[in-house]
Each structure stands twice: as structure tokens, then as C-alpha cells.
């Protein structure tokens, strides 16, 4: 009897053994893994709070519908991260061209035949699972894989305009041009992130400035139209307002003009409703602990409280300290990714980790800036926190790829025991890229 009992107990893994097994299974940067778990928990809490009233109205008193949905997306997202972090990151170099070539026709199809939601044609509907997918998220992921590959292979001629700069910048211009008609803010953020990665990849400063100058032309045109057509009275019968209204016939141009006008002249005219409600939510939060988890008042009035304006709900429930803590978390994430960039001996992996981290952190900063009314209203979500959807899953894919690079760096540094052949670099990668 004692021998049987001893055998049974001997088969039960110890706490130390389980911890070692978990550490072995979830390799890569442990801080990034911790950030993923922390933001996932925050997301579940805040999304449940922000959607309680909406779920009550939509599903006849069942307030748990969106909670179950968010938990499901969180579990799927973590599984995606785990699966991708187990893949050798050099595989992404091999599939980068295919994904980029696939994303271009998808963006074109979305532009003309995509599902229109909130005045924008940004989604395509998958037939069987009846889920909408924002194709720009796939395009951004493919773009950063592709330009990381190009930057790593063009280092010897990167200062040359034709041989080095054009092969890197043309994919960026194509993707941004296809995203812009439906989502200008997303296109600008993608372009800015790409230029930042080019700067670190030692692209000539004058070439980057030339690209910025070209990109500022449509932005300057939108701002000029917004200023010229603005009428402080905002009456429909006035001539200037009529000009602004006519601009709406050109896709989302009128929407862009109106948002710029709302931002510039917010003090002189009525503040947009969603911005006003976001300000009230932030004011309710106070400095320290806020109203407490689940006690948001503005969730009943703030549009997209669970998505674009979820940061306002975080501040309302957890105070300015909670909002500052969120900023700190994203900065730690960026710092750890920069550390991966510095440690990775191969150019492609270094650029890939840095490019994907830049796009996530810049998106987070843009979302927070919109919530506190520092920039005009845009349609960007808070990565890993806003309610789950295709954007959430692609964010998880990006983090999984970053952890794949970190895992391979650990293998090359001898911190984990795995076959050396698992981390062979793609052809052409022999040196670590120098910082610009």
C-alpha cells in the first residue's frame, strides 16, 4: 500500500517542476509575457464594465454576453501568441513577400466591396463564421515583415536612392495609399512607424524628409479646407457650411474635414459629443483610485466606450494613477522590445521586433491622445485592451512574433537547451544592424 501511494505521489509534479515546465514552454521575454497577462486581465475587467449596460439592452438583461466574448478572444489570442512564439522567426522572412502580395488585392477588394461600418469600408465579412475582419491589420503585419526583410538585405546599398530607398519605401506608399481612403489615421500611423523603422535602419535622412514632405501634402490640404470652410455659426444655410457638407460626397473627406474643425475650433464652438463625454469620464476619475472597478457612469453615454474610448473608462474607474500605470506598461513593453533589438545578432529579427513594437506602442499613444483630446478623433483601438475582434487577434500575432525573436535570441545566447539548427538566419543576415 505504501509503495503504491509513493508511486502515485511521485508521479505528481512538484511546484518547482511545474514552474520550470511553464518557463520552458513560455520562452522569450518574461516581462512581455507578464505584460500580455496583465493587459488581458485589465481588458476583461474594463470591457465587462463598459459593456454591461449595452449587453443588458441588447440581450434582454443578460450582461455577461460581452464578458464571455472577451474571455474567448483572450484565450484565442494567448493561444496565437503561444503558437507563433514557438515558430522560428526566420520563417516570417520567407512568407513576408507572399503575405504582402496577398494583402494588396485584399485591401483593394475591401475598398470597393467591403462591409461599410461607421461610414468606412474597412472590413470584409468571412462567410462561415460571420465575422468581420479589418484587412488593414493583416496588411500592416505583412508590411512590417516585408520592409524588415528589405532593410536587412539592403544594408550595403541603403543610402542609394534607387537600389536602397525605393525598394523599401514603395511597399509603404502602396499600403498606406490603399488604407487611406477608408482610414486616414491608420494610414498616417502606419507611415510614421515605417519611417521611424527606416531611420533606425540607416536610410538616408534626406530621403526620409522627402517622404514626409510628400505625405504632408494631403494632410495640409485637409487642414486648409477645414479652416477655409469653417463657419463659426455652423448653420446649414450658410455658404461655407454648405461647402463642407458637399465634401462628404468624396468618400470620407468630409468626415476628415469635420473632425479637424471640431478639434481646432473646440473652444469656440460646441465640443463633439464623444469628446465631451470622454472629458466627463476623465473628470469623474479624479487623481488617485477613481470610482472603482465596474462603477463607471459615462459608459451609458460615451460612444465606443468599450473600444476607441476605453482609456477614458479606465481613468474614470481607476483614476489618473490607473491611466498613468497603463502608459508605464506600454513603455516597459517598448523598452523590452528595444532590448530584444539590441541583442538580436541578425538584422531581420531585430528590425521585425522593433517595427512591430513601434506600431503597437504608437497605436496605444494615439488612442490615449484621442481620449484626452490631444489629437482629433480617430478610429484606433487600445492594443490588447479594447474589446476583442480582428484587431485584437492581429495584435496577438504581432506579440507572438516578437516573442519568437526573443526566444531565438535566448537560444543563441545559450539560455535554453535546444538544437542549434533551430535558429539559422536567412540568407544575407550576418551582422547586427547599427542604430542610426
Amino acid at each position: 500500500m505504501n509503495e503504491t501511494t509513493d508511486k502515485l505521489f511521485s508521479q505528481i509534479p512538484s511546484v518547482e517542476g511545474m514552474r520550470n515546465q511553464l518557463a520552458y514552454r513560455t520562452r522569450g521575454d518574461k516581462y512581455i509575457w507578464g505584460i500580455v497577462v496583465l493587459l488581458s486581465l485589465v481588458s476583461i475587467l474594463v470591457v465587462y464594465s463598459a459593456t454591461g449596460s449595452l449587453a443588458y439592452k441588447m440581450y434582454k438583461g443578460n450582461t455577461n454576453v460581452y464578458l464571455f466574448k472577451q474571455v474567448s478572444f483572450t484565450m484565442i489570442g494567448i493561444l496565437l501568441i503561444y503558437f507563433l512564439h514557438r515558430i522560428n522567426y526566420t520563417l516570417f522572412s520567407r512568407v513576408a513577400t507572399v503575405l504582402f502580395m496577398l494583402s494588396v488585392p485584399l485591401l483593394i477588394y475591401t475598398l470597393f466591396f467591403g462591409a461599410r461600418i461607421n461610414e468606412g469600408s474597412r472590413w470584409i465579412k468571412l462567410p462561415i463564421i460571420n465575422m468581420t475582419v479589418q484587412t488593414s491589420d493583416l496588411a500592416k503585419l505583412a508590411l512590417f515583415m516585408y520592409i524588415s526583410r528589405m532593410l536587412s538585405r539592403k544594408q550595403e546599398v541603403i543610402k542609394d536612392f534607387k537600389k536602397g530607398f525605393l525598394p523599401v519605401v514603395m511597399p509603404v506608399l502602396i499600403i498606406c495609399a490603399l488604407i487611406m481612403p477608408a482610414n486616414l489615421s491608420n494610414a498616417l500611423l502606419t507611415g510614421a512607424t515605417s519611417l521611424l523603422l527606416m531611420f533606425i535602419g540607416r536610410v538616408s535622412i534626406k530621403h526620409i524628409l522627402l517622404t514626409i514632405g510628400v505625405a504632408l501634402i494631403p494632410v495640409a490640404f485637409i487642414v486648409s479646407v477645414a479652416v477655409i470652410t469653417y463657419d463659426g455659426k455652423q448653420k446649414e444655410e450658410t455658404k461655407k457650411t454648405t461647402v463642407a457638407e458637399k465634401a462628404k460626397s468624396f468618400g470620407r473627406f468630409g468626415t476628415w474635414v469635420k473632425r479637424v474643425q471640431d478639434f481646432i475650433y473646440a473652444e469656440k464652438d460646441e465640443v463633439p459629443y464623444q469628446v465631451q463625454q470622454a472629458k466627463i469620464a476623465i473628470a469623474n476619475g479624479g487623481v488617485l483610485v477613481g470610482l472603482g472597478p465596474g462603477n463607471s457612469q459615462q459608459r451609458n453615454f460615451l460612444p465606443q466606450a468599450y473600444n476607441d474610448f476605453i482609456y477614458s473608462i479606465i481613468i474614470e474607474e481607476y483614476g489618473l494613477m490607473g491611466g498613468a500605470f497603463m502608459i508605464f506598461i506600454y513603455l516597459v513593453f517598448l523598452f523590452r522590445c528595444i532590448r530584444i533589438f539590441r541583442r538580436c545578432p541578425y538584422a531581420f529579427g531585430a528590425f521585425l521586433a522593433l517595427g512591430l513594437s513601434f506600431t503597437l506602442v504608437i497605436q496605444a499613444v494615439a488612442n490615449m491622445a484621442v481620449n484626452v483630446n490631444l489629437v482629433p478623433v480617430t478610429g484606433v483601438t487600445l492594443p490588447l485592451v479594447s474589446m476583442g475582434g480582428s484587431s485584437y487577434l492581429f495584435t496577438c500575432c504581432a506579440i507572438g512574433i516578437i516573442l519568437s525573436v526573443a526566444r531565438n535570441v535566448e537560444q543563441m545566447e545559450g539560455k535554453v537547451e535546444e538544437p542549434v539548427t533551430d535558429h539559422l538566419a536567412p540568407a544575407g543576415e550576418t551582422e547586427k544592424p547599427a542604430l542610426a
Side-chain angles (χ1 to χ4, degrees):
M1 182 70 179
N2 290 335
E3 293 181 0
T4 305
T5 305
D6 292 340
K7 287 182 179 179
L8 288 174
F9 278 105
S10 65
Q11 294 176 359
I12 299 176
S14 64
V15 175
E16 184 69 22
M18 293 175 65
R19 186 168 60 184
N20 292 337
Q21 184 69 11
L22 179 64
Y24 178 77
R25 292 291 181 184
T26 56
R27 285 160 293 176
D29 193 291
K30 299 300 183 290
Y31 289 92
I32 295 179
W33 274 110
I35 289 170
V36 169
V37 173
L38 179 60
L39 290 181
S40 297
L41 293 175
V42 171
S43 176
I44 291 172
L45 289 174
V46 181
V47 167
Y48 179 55
S49 174
T51 58
S53 300
L54 177 64
Y56 185 86
K57 296 176 183 177
M58 295 290 292
Y59 297 96
K60 299 179 181 180
N62 187 356
T63 60
N64 297 322
V65 173
Y66 291 109
L67 172 64
F68 292 145
K69 178 181 178 182
Q70 187 64 15
V71 171
S72 299
F73 269 104
T74 301
M75 294 174 64
I76 295 172
I78 291 178
L79 286 175
L80 274 175
I81 293 174
Y82 175 78
F83 173 75
L84 289 173
H85 109 285
R86 298 279 297 177
I87 297 175
N88 190 307
Y89 76 89
T90 59
L91 176 64
F92 303 119
S93 176
R94 301 185 183 104
V95 302
T97 304
V98 176
L99 286 178
F100 176 76
M101 298 301 293
L102 177 65
S103 64
V104 172
L106 278 177
L107 287 175
I108 296 174
Y109 176 84
T110 305
L111 195 58
F112 291 99
F113 307 105
R116 296 186 64 85
I117 303 175
N118 296 331
E119 300 181 358
S121 180
R122 308 174 189 174
W123 296 265
I124 58 174
K125 183 172 288 187
L126 300 180
I128 299 176
I129 61 176
N130 197 28
M131 175 182 174
T132 54
V133 176
Q134 192 165 343
T135 52
S136 60
D137 292 322
L138 172 62
K140 288 191 298 182
L141 192 62
L143 175 65
F144 288 112
M145 287 184 193
Y146 188 74
I147 62 174
S148 297
R149 175 186 173 92
M150 297 304 295
L151 282 172
S152 66
R153 296 196 168 196
K154 298 289 183 180
Q155 283 298 298
E156 295 182 358
V157 293
I158 198 64
K159 300 294 184 181
D160 186 87
F161 183 79
K162 291 184 179 180
K163 296 180 180 180
F165 177 67
L166 283 181
V168 175
V169 78
M170 286 305 296
V172 177
L173 296 178
I174 292 171
I175 295 297
C176 290
L178 292 175
I179 294 176
M180 184 181 68
N183 196 337
L184 177 63
S185 57
N186 203 346
L188 291 176
L189 292 177
T190 301
T193 306
S194 302
L195 290 176
L196 184 58
L197 186 59
M198 290 181 201
F199 173 75
I200 295 174
R202 301 192 302 114
V203 171
S204 175
I205 299 296
K206 63 181 181 181
H207 295 160
I208 293 177
L209 293 177
L210 175 64
T211 307
I212 293 174
V214 173
L216 286 178
I217 294 175
V219 176
F221 179 71
I222 293 171
V223 175
S224 301
V225 172
V227 173
I228 293 171
T229 61
Y230 175 75
D231 184 2
K233 298 178 182 179
Q234 291 293 298
K235 293 181 179 179
E236 293 184 0
E237 63 269 15
T238 60
K239 182 178 180 181
K240 291 184 178 180
T241 305
T242 303
V243 173
E245 290 295 324
K246 286 182 178 180
K248 292 185 178 180
S249 61
F250 298 96
R252 288 178 55 82
F253 184 76
T255 303
W256 303 336
V257 171
K258 185 66 169 60
R259 287 181 176 179
V260 172
Q261 288 176 341
D262 291 339
F263 178 74
I264 296 177
Y265 302 105
E267 299 298 328
K268 297 181 181 180
D269 208 345
E270 185 179 354
V271 178
Y273 178 78
Q274 51 196 4
V275 175
Q276 185 182 39
Q277 297 303 318
K279 286 184 175 181
I280 295 174
I282 293 172
N284 289 341
V287 178
L288 295 177
V289 294
L291 301 179
N295 294 325
S296 170
Q297 299 174 2
Q298 294 310 115
R299 63 188 174 190
N300 300 319
F301 309 100
L302 180 60
Q304 300 292 321
Y306 49 85
N307 205 1
D308 298 349
F309 285 89
I310 197 168
Y311 187 63
S312 302
I313 303 300
I314 292 175
I315 296 179
E316 183 181 19
E317 294 190 349
Y318 300 94
L320 291 178
M321 295 296 291
F325 180 73
M326 292 296 296
I327 297 175
F328 173 74
I329 290 297
Y330 285 108
L331 290 178
V332 171
F333 174 77
L334 179 61
F335 171 76
R336 299 303 299 185
C337 291
I338 292 175
R339 188 169 179 269
I340 295 171
F341 165 78
R342 288 184 167 276
R343 292 166 59 197
C344 186
Y346 299 123
F348 173 72
F351 288 136
L352 184 61
L354 200 62
L356 293 177
S357 65
F358 278 160
T359 188
L360 295 180
V361 174
I362 290 176
Q363 180 180 330
V365 171
N367 178 276
M368 295 175 184
V370 168
N371 278 253
V372 298
N373 199 30
L374 290 179
V375 297
V377 175
T378 62
V380 296
T381 58
L382 191 60
L384 278 185
V385 178
S386 294
M387 191 167 73
S390 62
S391 178
Y392 185 93
L393 297 181
F394 281 112
T395 297
C396 292
C397 289
I399 294 175
I401 294 171
I402 292 171
L403 287 171
S404 172
V405 178
R407 182 181 69 89
N408 278 267
V409 169
E410 285 189 354
Q411 289 176 212
M412 287 179 276
E413 292 178 348
K415 293 186 177 181
V416 294
E417 297 180 358
E418 285 200 344
V420 179
T421 55
D422 189 41
H423 56 258
L424 292 177
E429 295 194 22
T430 55
E431 296 180 359
K432 179 179 178 179
L435 289 172

